[in-house]
Amino acid sequence: MYLKDDIVIIEIDQDLYEGMPADWSAEGDGKYAILNISAEDDGIVLGYRGSEVRFRKTPQ
């Protein structure tokens, strides 16, 4: 994984690839994804060309 400013580059686990949102695309022969990332008060948002997935913090 690589994180810089508002972009994260992640290696794709081929066993979980089908779980990616349908409108997201892989780069580098399907080996990684380049996503936008932003922090919110209750978690983070990962996005690809306008399509976003929100992850919320879980109470501890």
Side-chain angles (χ1 to χ4, degrees):
M1 179 170 71
Y2 173 80
L3 176 64
K4 182 178 179 186
D5 300 323
D6 62 348
I7 294 176
V8 63
I9 300 173
I10 57 169
E11 184 177 353
I12 296 173
D13 181 330
Q14 294 301 316
D15 293 334
L16 301 174
Y17 178 77
E18 292 179 13
M20 284 180 61
D23 53 349
W24 290 18
S25 293
E27 307 288 338
D29 296 325
K31 295 182 180 180
Y32 61 91
I34 301 172
L35 306 172
N36 297 321
I37 186 170
S38 61
E40 294 185 339
D41 290 337
D42 62 346
I44 63 167
V45 178
L46 294 178
Y48 179 80
R49 297 186 180 183
S51 173
E52 298 179 338
V53 176
R54 286 180 158 64
F55 295 89
R56 291 186 187 177
K57 293 178 188 176
T58 56
Q60 294 185 12

